[in-house]
Amino acid sequence: GAFRYSSGGFLNDSILMLDSFGQEGLTWRSINGGPAHALTQLDTLRHDSVHMRPFSLGDGRTFVFTVARGRAGPGAQSGELALAKFDPGADGTVSYTPLGIDAQIAFAYQDGWILYIRRDARALMAARLDLASSSIIGQPVVVLEQEGGGIDAARLASNGTLLYSRRVLPQNAPVLVDSTGTATPLVTGLSGAFMNPRVSPDGRRVALQSASAEGTDAWVYDIADGAQARVTRSGSVLGPAWESDGRHLVYASTVEGRDALWRIPADGNGRPERLTAAQGLFAASPTREPNLLLFQRRVNGVWSIWRAPMPGELEPQAVVTGTYDAFMPSLSPNGRWLIYAGSESGRYEVYLRPFPGPGAAIQVSLDGGTEPAWAADGRRIYYRGDRQLMYAELTGAASPTVTRRRMLFADTFDGDMPMPHRNYDVMPDGRRFVMIAPTGDATPETIVVLNWTPELRARISANR
């Protein structure tokens, strides 16, 4: 099986360094127990959002880590390498020196060279480090190339064995699913790495997030004839969704180095327009109401629901916040009721509450639920629970009551992970769905290279 990153690394025999989660710097703990201590601090002038993946250079004091700027959550996979030195006798955090190298993670230190995974995950690199000046000498050298990319972890053993894992993009395709769970391809022969299908208001097109070696972008497919259009080309698009006019898409992106929502014509013929920016911002949920755009946001490790600034407002406004997760928002067709997934009971359930409030939340699901969606008539709420697509029927427009809950079909389609958003959509007829079906094996690969150090040294020498 493949291995994944841990949440930190050992600085020496007695100190463990731990990642931050978007609001703090690295921390350290004694392996003998005790409290966590701050190790680094996010630099607001540099727009730091995450310090992650610390790696010790082996002297018990010096370490290298990755600094992501303006990105959190799923967007924070890479950044700039930075170097710092730990002083166990000093109070407070240590300062760091940026090294000017874009990377995912540093994983080894060999003969004065830092080894790291390049930002695009297609190569292992070596950069010569001058410890005295805390700077890189000369240009980094490619020491291993991986066709197709996807390198997501690496280790170099003391005996020269290299071990690295390669993440394989999932092979899947959008499908039309009827109320019995029977699926037919949305586009014949289509296979790729898709997520987050959203049906246009007229039911004729589907917007999808599509991943490739260059990143993720928004595509639109015509259901009738399979015609496709690539809408964005930034490589950092998450969760494209339709505005109510059917002519524009809204999506999240870190294209300017910070989390923001953008708007672009759905035919791709036009420049994107930034709508709002906020740290930890993620998937957007447009509504039928003019100028009302909901989105989810991760703040201090907790998901919450917000709305973008209305005319005359300068900042996004909180809609549902608390000490528990609240995400995957969707507003009812009449604009009066909000559904979302929340963890206030201790596990994820689907909730309904008046919008914009006030009023108490009504629990919709009973045995766990996420990914809620409205039927077009506002009288059914669909959601996922325990590998089943469920629905809840409502009565009473002024004060809705859940009258029954039923399983519609066994759910064998791709769910919300690894992205915390709804990974299916409901057709306007309320009886068919666009879902994502696996089409191939996406099992990660683990590669072992025996006695790799001589090859590493030869590559470095040849490219000096």
Side-chain angles (χ1 to χ4, degrees), residues 184-453:
T184 57
L186 184 78
V187 177
T188 302
L190 182 64
S191 181
F194 297 102
M195 292 188 74
N196 195 70
R198 291 294 181 269
V199 180
S200 62
D202 61 10
R204 296 178 179 178
R205 293 161 295 164
V206 174
L208 290 152
Q209 173 186 317
S210 178
S212 68
E214 288 73 40
T216 56
D217 277 294
W219 289 70
V220 170
Y221 292 85
D222 188 287
I223 295 176
D225 61 14
Q228 61 184 34
R230 183 175 181 175
V231 181
T232 65
R233 297 183 180 275
S234 72
S236 64
V237 169
L238 295 173
W242 295 91
E243 285 194 340
S244 59
D245 64 5
R247 296 186 292 111
H248 293 85
L249 296 179
V250 177
Y251 59 89
S253 176
T254 58
V255 66
E256 286 188 341
R258 57 178 173 167
D259 301 313
L261 290 180
W262 295 79
R263 180 178 188 258
I264 192 171
D267 61 6
N269 295 320
R271 297 180 62 84
E273 169 195 2
R274 196 182 76 200
L275 300 176
T276 189
Q279 185 173 353
L281 174 155
F282 188 47
S285 180
T287 73
R288 297 186 183 184
E289 303 298 308
N291 300 315
L292 179 56
L293 175 63
L294 302 176
F295 63 90
Q296 60 193 59
R297 183 181 181 190
R298 193 168 177 85
V299 180
N300 295 322
V302 177
W303 286 107
S304 51
I305 298 170
W306 297 66
R307 61 176 173 85
M310 303 281 276
E313 296 174 346
L314 297 178
E315 299 291 336
Q317 303 296 313
V319 176
V320 183
T321 61
T323 58
Y324 53 85
D325 283 337
F327 54 4
M328 305 181 187
S330 182
L331 195 62
S332 62
N334 66 9
R336 297 175 57 186
W337 299 92
L338 176 71
I339 51 174
Y340 61 94
S343 61
E344 54 196 277
S345 70
R347 67 177 176 186
Y348 288 113
E349 300 281 2
V350 173
Y351 292 92
L352 170 75
R353 67 165 58 197
F355 184 85
I362 301 168
Q363 186 171 322
V364 175
S365 59
L366 287 181
D367 300 312
T370 60
E371 301 184 69
W374 289 99
D377 61 8
R379 299 196 302 199
R380 270 192 181 188
I381 297 171
Y382 295 101
Y383 61 94
R384 291 178 123 151
D386 193 24
R387 301 301 297 170
Q388 298 173 336
L389 187 70
M390 307 287 295
Y391 69 89
E393 291 191 347
L394 304 178
T395 58
S399 180
T401 301
V402 178
T403 57
R404 69 171 184 169
R405 303 168 180 88
R406 292 288 186 273
M407 180 191 82
L408 196 61
F409 54 77
D411 186 356
T412 61
F413 305 97
D414 288 356
D416 60 313
M417 296 306 291
M419 300 286 189
H421 64 130
R422 177 163 47 86
N423 201 20
Y424 73 97
D425 204 10
V426 186
M427 292 289 286
D429 61 17
R431 293 294 184 268
R432 292 180 300 158
F433 310 85
V434 178
M435 310 190 86
I436 304 295
T439 59
D441 184 14
T443 303
E445 301 172 345
T446 300
I447 297 99
V448 178
V449 185
L450 300 176
N451 196 29
W452 184 67
T453 305

